[in-house]
Amino acid sequence: TSLRYLAHALWLSHQGLVKPQGLVVEIGVGYGGLAAANALVSGARTVCIDLPELVQTARLMMRQNGLESHLADLKNKGQDFCLISNYAFTELSTELQDHYFEEIIRHASRGAILSNAAVFARSIGGRDDKELIDWFRAAGLAANAEIENPILCPSDRQLGNRIITWKPV
């Protein structure tokens, strides 16, 4: 898992999605592995969004590893930030997706969502990849979904998972 987080952080940096010393908002931070990798690779600060117990766990892990200064709060929606989510956003119901989109995603100038909507959308009442892309584009985000991308692992390809990204045009 740590190596995959490192690979993601390197890819996010190489793609210009996470800027040096930049701000990241991560939906589904889990224990904070990607937040730590982004701190080490890009010096990025992360706003952790997840269930309260998991945010607390991520904060503890970052503190124990001397990375507490790389934790952040989203102070205003005008801040430049990158939104990232490894599966979590696409595992939410449409109501929760609506909430996070309005509150956070629509304000992100850049983003990367590793989507497993092909696996979960129907059963949990979420949106599929086409609906997500159409929704994001209608809101002015230049979103694209790829099924062939080096960040996707063999199981992602087998399951039909995609990487959804957007950057300023």
Side-chain angles (χ1 to χ4, degrees):
T1 303
S2 296
L3 289 176
R4 183 139 192 216
Y5 287 140
L6 178 59
H8 276 249
L10 290 166
W11 181 83
L12 289 162
S13 176
H14 179 72
Q15 296 298 308
L17 293 165
V18 174
K19 293 181 177 181
Q21 315 312 306
L23 182 64
V24 170
V25 176
E26 184 176 359
I27 296 174
V29 73
Y31 78 89
L34 185 54
N38 279 322
L40 295 171
V41 168
S42 300
R45 295 169 295 116
T46 298
V47 176
C48 302
I49 298 177
D50 210 319
L51 299 171
E53 298 82 3
L54 292 173
V55 169
Q56 191 174 15
T57 298
R59 290 182 169 279
L60 175 63
M61 184 280 297
M62 294 286 280
R63 186 172 39 257
Q64 289 176 336
N65 286 285
L67 298 171
E68 189 171 23
S69 65
H70 294 278
L71 294 169
D73 294 312
L74 193 59
K75 299 203 188 317
N76 67 64
K77 292 179 181 150
Q79 285 180 278
D80 179 57
F81 67 92
C82 175
L83 179 282
I84 57 176
S85 181
N86 280 343
Y87 308 118
F89 181 75
T90 55
E91 294 175 354
L92 299 173
S93 66
T94 54
E95 293 79 18
L96 284 171
Q97 287 176 343
D98 289 344
H99 168 76
Y100 284 120
F101 186 83
E102 289 303 318
E103 291 298 313
I104 299 166
I105 296 173
R106 76 172 323 129
H107 306 286
S109 57
R110 298 168 314 287
I113 296 174
L114 190 51
S115 171
N116 58 0
V119 176
F120 288 103
R122 234 180 234 150
S123 65
I124 61 171
R127 292 176 175 87
D128 65 27
D129 289 323
K130 183 183 179 329
E131 291 170 319
L132 290 170
I133 293 299
D134 291 346
W135 181 31
F136 286 20
R137 287 179 179 172
L141 301 175
N144 292 299
E146 296 177 68
I147 197 160
E148 290 297 324
N149 186 293
I151 201 59
L152 298 170
C153 69
S155 63
D156 285 324
R157 289 185 197 88
Q158 184 178 20
L159 294 170
N161 295 342
R162 290 174 166 73
I163 183 76
I164 298 171
T165 59
W166 66 94
K167 295 187 224 181
V169 184

